[in-house]
Amino acid sequence: MLILDESGFYCPEGDFHIDPWRPVPRALVTHSHADHAHWGCGAYLAAEAGERVLRRRMGDEAVIETVPWGESLSLGPVRVSFHPAGHILGSAQIRLDRGGEVWVVSGDYKTEPDATCAPFELVPCNTFVTESTFGLPIFRWAPQAEVFDQVNGWWRKNAEAGRASLLFGYALGKAQRLLAGVDPSIGPIFTHGAVENLTGDYRDSGVALPDTTLVSAAPDSTDWAGSLVVAPPSANGTPWMRRFGEVSTGFASGWMRIRGTRRRRAMDRGFVLSDHVDWPALVEVLEATGAERVWVTHGYREAVVRWLRERGIEAMAVASRFEGELDEAESTESKSETAPGGEAS
Ligand SMILES: [Zn+2]
């Protein structure tokens, strides 16, 4: 039902692309990260829950149509519907059904529910297109409650010592998930501008988040000691940080699972928190969909393809234009943050 053309996944019968990496006439998008929602397409179709965020990323002129979760519409002979992927606000798996043959393009996904988006829904299918950002057995996440205990403990200790806590996470998705998980009784919470705009979109979309103040709107006399400042990782080490006085820095990312990442990032603390499935959750989903064929994109494709083939599942690695997930991959971060449509998370 899908083929790979020069712009990405294309459905000839429905005449649309899914998450194209170049401008196309009609794009169905799984979510608003820059490597999935490309700027400049003729029209976009996405899940209703993520409309505000997609609008911010694509601009006022973009033609954006949305559908509620699970509601299907016809594009040619193909019935199309969107189902929660649990990755960021509005992130969807796109289900295609042509006469009972079902394909699901999962975009990015995670199965552990969080407060900032609808939980992942398992969608049975014949062919499943999966990410493999963290598709190696070394990637295993602790329950997020444990991670937030670590974050809150770090913040509390810094507050007691009279330091500000600078917590870095990608501006779209991770930053809001951090805000939803921290304990606001510890101290005031401030945000970098790139985080604040999207956080407003989350609130306007009905996601409950603690009060935040934009750093640049705080008076010069502000005492930052004891506060938590949430910012994108690109802000680390910039002059923007000077105003805070004595600080401790922390970075929340799945890549913190890899030894040395925190040091290379020049952070005091690393928190292993990802919006992608870890290895156990990935293989659980691959089995549970019942798919007899799987296309594997992003990240550690070969390991996942091998695992599938050992189980008799037809598997193929699909090269994507972007290697790894822009919103978490260190190597491609600078590219993502200069992408059209704003900073990429
Ligand atoms: Zn993503």
Side-chain angles (χ1 to χ4, degrees):
M1 208 163 340
L2 292 174
I3 59 167
L4 204 59
D5 72 6
E6 70 281 2
S7 303
F9 295 117
Y10 179 61
C11 177
E13 293 161 294
D15 193 21
F16 59 82
H17 283 83
I18 296 179
D19 290 358
W21 51 68
R22 305 201 312 196
V24 297
R26 186 166 184 72
L28 277 54
V29 296
T30 58
H31 66 289
S32 296
H33 281 148
D35 52 338
H36 294 264
H38 199 283
W39 189 80
C41 293
Y44 297 89
L45 180 63
E48 190 177 48
E51 183 168 8
R52 287 171 195 275
V53 171
L54 186 61
R55 172 63 65 192
R56 180 173 298 281
R57 304 305 305 276
M58 295 300 128
D60 291 339
E61 305 299 312
V63 177
I64 297 175
E65 190 190 340
T66 63
V67 280
W69 294 127
E71 196 173 296
S72 68
L73 49 88
S74 290
L75 297 174
V78 182
R79 296 291 290 175
V80 172
S81 55
F82 291 71
H83 305 264
H87 172 62
I88 64 166
L89 180 65
S91 63
Q93 304 170 80
I94 300 179
R95 181 183 187 274
L96 312 175
D97 184 333
R98 185 200 49 202
E101 191 203 345
V102 177
W103 286 51
V104 170
V105 179
S106 61
D108 295 332
Y109 63 98
K110 79 169 187 302
T111 55
E112 186 178 28
D114 77 67
T116 60
C117 61
F120 177 86
E121 177 187 324
L122 184 80
V123 185
C125 54
N126 304 105
T127 301
F128 188 60
V129 181
T130 187
E131 63 151 312
S132 58
T133 306
F134 293 108
L136 282 179
I138 59 158
F139 293 109
R140 287 164 197 268
W141 316 141
Q144 63 194 332
E146 278 178 32
V147 180
F148 282 117
D149 281 350
Q150 294 168 13
V151 173
N152 286 321
W154 164 76
W155 179 15
R156 199 173 288 114
K157 200 167 133 250
N158 291 330
E160 285 162 7
R163 286 189 293 266
S165 299
L166 261 62
L167 182 56
F168 296 98
Y170 291 96
L172 172 53
K174 182 63 61 59
Q176 292 75 30
R177 192 173 166 207
L178 291 171
L179 290 169
V182 296
D183 176 1
S185 73
I186 299 171
I189 304 174
F190 294 89
T191 50
H192 185 279
V195 168
E196 186 63 19
N197 289 336
L198 289 156
T199 299
D201 293 332
Y202 267 61
R203 287 197 186 98
D204 292 344
S205 302
V207 177
L209 296 171
D211 290 340
T212 54
T213 303
L214 185 61
V215 164
S216 58
D220 289 344
S221 58
T222 301
D223 178 11
W224 302 98
S227 66
L228 178 73
V229 183
V230 178
S234 56
N236 188 31
T238 65
W240 177 83
M241 279 174 59
R242 283 186 202 137
R243 69 191 81 193
F244 303 116
E246 197 190 342
V247 300
S248 178
T249 54
F251 184 33
S253 168
W255 297 109
M256 285 297 148
R257 182 68 181 76
I258 299 179
R259 192 184 299 271
T261 306
R262 178 172 58 85
R263 195 175 57 247
R264 286 198 303 280
R265 282 288 197 161
M267 300 281 183
D268 298 323
R269 284 290 299 270
F271 302 103
V272 183
L273 186 73
S274 177
D275 299 328
H276 298 264
V277 275
D278 63 0
W279 175 263
L282 175 65
V283 299
E284 195 181 316
V285 169
L286 294 178
E287 285 190 324
T289 62
E292 59 261 22
R293 182 162 55 158
V294 177
W295 287 4
V296 184
T297 68
H298 290 289
Y300 298 99
R301 296 183 297 251
E302 296 306 329
V304 178
V305 165
R306 196 177 320 123
W307 185 90
L308 287 160
R309 287 182 180 158
E310 282 167 4
R311 275 145 195 86
I313 298 168
E314 188 187 330
M316 183 172 84
V318 179
S320 51
R321 178 172 159 201
F322 298 107
E323 285 307 303
E325 159 91 350
L326 283 181
D327 71 21
E328 291 215 81
E330 294 181 79
S331 57
T332 49
E333 183 191 313
S334 58
K335 199 195 306 174
S336 80
E337 295 195 342
T338 56
E343 186 222 311
S345 80

